[in-house]
Every structure is written in structure tokens, then in C-alpha cells.
Amino acid sequence: MSLSLTSLGEYLLCLVCLELSLADIMSLRQVCRVLSRTTKAKVLWIYILERQALEETIMPPYLNDYERLNSSTIEALVRRVSRLAHKWETQDLSPVRSWKLHLPLAITWLRLVAGRWLFVASSDSSSSKISCWDLSLIFQGCMEPLAEAYLPGQVKTGKLEVQKLGIVLALGLGPEAQAVHILTLRKCHGCHVFAELCCIQGSSHVLMLSGDVVACALRHGDSVPHIINWMAQRVYDIPPPPDDLNIPCRRSVPHLITTWNGALIIVRRNTLEFYTLPSANDSIGFLKLVQISTTWEAAVLCASPSVSSMGSPLRLITISPAGVEICIIEDPLTGLDSAGGFCLDPTPNPEHRTPWYRLSVGQAGRRFLRISFNEVSEFDSDGFPKPRKPPHFTFSTVPSQSCGLLTNSPRASKVPRIVWDTDGEPALWAIPTIDFDEALGLTVVGNIFGELAIYDHVGQHPERCTDLSIDLTDQKTAVPPLLPTTPLKLDLPVAPTLKIVATQTQAGETTWIFMNYDHPGYYELSKWYGEPCDEAWILEHAYGFPGRVLPQAFQRDPLSDGCQTMLFRVGSRYFAFRHDEYQLLSFTGTPSGYLDVVDDGQVETYSRPTAMTERDAFLDGKVKQEGWGETIEDTFDDEDYPDPRPDLV
Ligand SMILES: *[C@@H]1O[C@H](CO)[C@@H](O)[C@H](O)[C@H]1NC(C)=O
Ligand SMILES: *[C@@H]1O[C@H](CO)[C@@H](O)[C@H](O)[C@H]1NC(C)=O
């Protein structure tokens, strides 16, 4: 009697398979029908999946109830996460495939949900829309969006959360229609539609969405952090810390707002502010301030604020002057007034402007990326600086908790940087917005030219992993009012609206000159329209004062014809920009007289200097684009060479 493998019976064969590598299981599948059936058994793939999860392979956080999935989907997932883990080990994240779309509008926000739904907000000066694509259709070659709807203003900020109601989006619109729109995507009579759960007028700059609570940083155009219970349509004020909101670093919008252990936390450049949540007392109470090292960008490092177990420290990942840091905050009510941390990746050129911006962390909190530009200055053999490399992605892994690195240890650990170039498409220099699925190995990028790309770092049937989550758009409750599906006219001004300051003052020989449309010679007004990387953009992104810039007046330099100081307003706050000193002053009322003597408390500094690196990358890209165009013209006929990019203006 010959004993063959196939006579072992299904259960024992499964046990044998569990001892094999994935490649060997695939070989075994080729041997015969019995073995082929065994290697496709659902129970086998569930075992392997669970084992991988225990071995700290990164699993999609939205993979709920995986026993509901069929065997081939579980197998596809297992093979995908293993292949991705291998790509990380070999430090090669070059995408295997990509899908590209060109929207007619500038992309200002996007988010990828459950490896399947891609939400994109795009706008121009006359319309603004929100669209959703189903990646399972895109992967099969259908580029049509699942649903589209129009909004009354440009989406400046947004947060998205999967809730009991399905996918919930909180979108903060620009100053032309200042409001937070709470939306959801629903399946309705076999189609998909955007529906509006709620709209809160007057609030904007969304920094958090957690259940019923939305945290916003702008109220009627002023930087005043507050929270909204959107279900109850109720706005809660956040009391200012004892030393007031009107101090440098606290006048601008915060980097981040999050909840943790029942507290509300506002992350600013040098401090964390702790508050009670209204659930405790129907109002928000100030708890304490905790000092942190200088923070230019920050993200919370955990699956979701509500998932973090009670008592575990809050961990933030930040870009600081030292590099990428992890900041660990133990329970502040028992602990110290300052937070510890360590540097994960020291900055390569500390004497120069930070080379990294747009820090983003995956949903499972295990991998992060940032865009790098000008990381090291390179010189050729003759000592001339080499042309700058265009901006590119840099991915890294967060050391896992079991490595003991995420305790408050002084041991500095340098994580490897995996650099990945998008081959120049979409233009990563054009103020990109990014999201990535760290478990499935998908990265999505959109830019202000409307270029949208989906990169697959793994390859091999990505469409087989788009059904890991239940259909989040399929809900039993009544569909809320639908959003319009025809464009709404935007009230975007072509130029800033000008207002005259109430009182004209004179000091010394210099007078404030009040601005109006027909004032000749004021050539710099165009720098304040809010175009990418102009002065208004810097005010919003580097100084942290979003809103419409309303120029008010300027002082002329007595010795030259140029503008010396420009006075403008954003919300109810006045600013003076001194060109000679490149200095921004801020006032609660109209300043009077000649701005010669400056109170230090009025001087604003960058809250997010990484925006200036992003601006460098933009200007460099623009110059190269224009320069490139000239060389091309010399060599090719226009018709021979496709227009690589839409016009910049
Ligand atoms: C498994 O499920 C996926 C998605 O639900 C489906 O597309 C596929 O056809 C199923 N495969 C089998 C073999 O039933
Ligand atoms: C609740 O709020 C009131 C003021 O609104 C305050 O006096 C009281 O101490 C608060 N209670 C708690 C438990 O925070």
C-alpha cells in the first residue's frame, strides 16, 4: 500500500500546508485536484491570516468580520500583505501599476476609505465639487466616478470617519461660504448619492471628526477653536487657557485637535492644551498646558482616537527642527508638565530649511510618509550645486511597540527611509494632497492641476482586495437630503475686496495710504489673492491664518517708491507686513501711526515652516516647467510633443 499525501485527509493536509511558505502552497496547488482543493480551503487561509496578524504583519484596520469573506478574497489579502511586507524589507516601494485621471478642477482634498472608496474635493473659481470613485471599478478600467455633487465653496479642510451611519465626511469650506458640511455617501435605488447630514454655518477649518463631535479652528473668520456636536447642532466654546489666546503661537490655528482618554487636546507649536469634553459637564473646561518640543507638523499615532485603550499614552508623530520625532504624553493629570519623546529620523541638514513636509501616517499607525525636497545639497565634481531633485516621497516604518522603542527611551533609533519617485506624474511639486493605505500598499495623490493618480505598490489583482469591508454605502436608515448635482455658483472674488480704514493717522513723514481699486502703482496687490504660494497662501499655510485677505492700506518707503508696510485684515484681526524686515505684525484693532517701534508680542512667526519648503518645491517646479517648455520648443514641433501640464494661471 503506498501512502500518498492525498490520502491524509483534508484536516491533516491543511496542517501540512500551514508548515509551508506561501510559494510552496502555490506549488502544491499545481500537483493534483485534491491538493488544489486543500490549498483553497477557507479555513487554511483564515489560519494563515490570523497567524500573520499575530506576527505583526500590518492588516487593514477596516477588516472586520473576515470570516464573512470567501476563500479567494482571504487568500488574495494574505498574499498581498506578504508581498508588501517583502517590498518593505527590500526597501523598494516603486509602484507596480498606476491609474491616472485628469480632472478639470484643482484638487484640494482627498481621502481613501477601506481600500475602496476614493473621495476627492476639487474646485476652480466658479465651482466646487466632491466626487467619489470606487477603486474596484477603476482597477477594471472604468474611470467614471460613482457619485458627484456640488458645494457652495472650496473645500479647504476635511476629516472623514466610518461611523454607524456609514462614511461621514466633515468638510470645511473656504471664506466664500464659511461652513462645515457633514456629508455621507449612500446607495439609493441602485445608484450612489451624496447626502447632507448637517451644515453648520460660520464654522470652518475642520481639525477633528470623532463620532458626533467636530472640532473647528475658525469661527466667523477668526481663529477661535471650538467644537460642534453636529447631531445636536450645538456649538461649544473652548475657554482660552489662563494666559489668553492673544499670544504668539496661539493666535494662529492649531496643528491638530484630538481626543484621548476622555480629554480634548489641542496641539500647537510648543504646547498641548488639555480640556474636558462637554460630555462630562455640558461645557468644556480647561485642564492644563503641557510643554512639547517645537512642532511644525503633527499626526496622532494610533488606529483611531476612540480605539486607543484607556491609560495608554498618547503618541504623536511630528516634524520638528530635529527631524521626525515621536512625542509621548503620559496621563497629564498625574504626570509632568512636559512631554518626552525621541527622534525617529534626524534631519539631514539641520542648518538649512527643513527638507520634509506633508507628514502623513497610516490608519494603523505603523507607517508614515512625508514629501522630501532639497534633502541634501549635492555638488558635482567641479563644486557646482547639482540641479535640485524634484520633490519625492519618503516612506518609513514606525518602530513597533514590541521593540520597546515606543516607551520613553532615550535611545535614538534611525528608521530607514524608503524613497519613491512618482516619475513626475502627477506633479508632486504642485501642492499635492495625499492619502495611503499602508496595509494594502496603495497611495493616492492629487494636485492643483487636477492630476489624480492611484499607485499600487504590490501589483497582482488589486481588485480582489476591494471588498474587505462591508458595503459602507448600503444603509438602512432614510436617506438625508441630497446635495445638488448641478454646479452652484461660487461667490469667489476675482480680487480682494478693499475696505477703507476708519481713521487716517499721520506720524512723522509717513502716512498710511488707503487702497482702492484705482490707486496707481500698487503693483503687489496681486500677491494677496490666495494663488498657490503667494503671500496670502504663506499667511494661511506657514503662519496659520486661513481666510480672505482684505488689504486695507500701505505705507510707502519715503526713500524709494516701493511699498514698505502693507496693512490688511483677515477676519477681525489686522496684520501689517513689513517688506523691509520681512516681518509680520498682528493686532486686534487697527494699528495707528508709523510702525517703527514694534512690540515683540505683536510679531508673528511661522507656525508651520514646512510650508515654506513646500513653496520652494512649487517655485522650483514652476521654473523647471517653464524652462523645460523653452528647450522643448527648440527641438520639437508643438504637435510632436504633448502639452505636459495645464497652464499655471
Ligand atoms: C469571492 O468574493 C468576491 C467579492 O465578494 C467575488 O468577487 C468573487 O467572485 C468571490 N469568489 C468566489 C470564488 O466565489
Ligand atoms: C462644571 O461646570 C461648572 C461651570 O460651568 C463648574 O463650576 C464645575 O466645577 C464643573 N464641574 C466639573 C465636574 O467639571
Side-chain angles (χ1 to χ4, degrees), residues 68-74 463-464 466-467:
R68 150 188 77 77
L69 301 172
N70 64 28
S71 152
S72 61
T73 304
I74 302 175
E463 73 280 1
R464 289 193 189 155
T466 49
D467 278 323

Side-chain angles (χ1 to χ4, degrees), residues 216-296:
C216 292
L218 289 182
R219 187 85 187 135
H220 301 302
D222 288 325
S223 167
V224 180
H226 59 283
I227 72 172
I228 299 160
N229 183 318
W230 62 266
M231 285 271 197
Q233 303 230 6
R234 191 167 159 192
V235 176
Y236 294 89
D237 294 328
I238 299 179
D243 46 352
D244 198 34
L245 277 180
N246 189 17
I247 59 168
C249 296
R250 219 180 272 155
R251 292 187 281 241
S252 54
V253 294
H255 291 314
L256 182 82
I257 299 184
T258 186
T259 56
W260 170 70
N261 277 5
L264 183 77
I265 300 162
I266 299 185
V267 180
R268 295 189 182 273
R269 206 174 78 151
N270 296 101
T271 49
L272 304 177
E273 298 165 11
F274 284 75
Y275 298 91
T276 58
L277 277 166
S279 51
N281 197 356
D282 206 41
S283 68
I284 297 178
F286 171 76
L287 289 173
K288 75 186 287 182
L289 292 178
V290 170
Q291 295 299 319
I292 51 171
S293 59
T294 301
T295 297
W296 292 339

Side-chain angles (χ1 to χ4, degrees), residues 400-418:
S400 81
Q401 235 153 345
S402 59
C403 297
L405 279 171
L406 290 189
T407 54
N408 202 346
S409 88
R411 246 180 321 155
S413 62
K414 191 174 171 303
V415 294
R417 294 178 199 143
I418 308 181

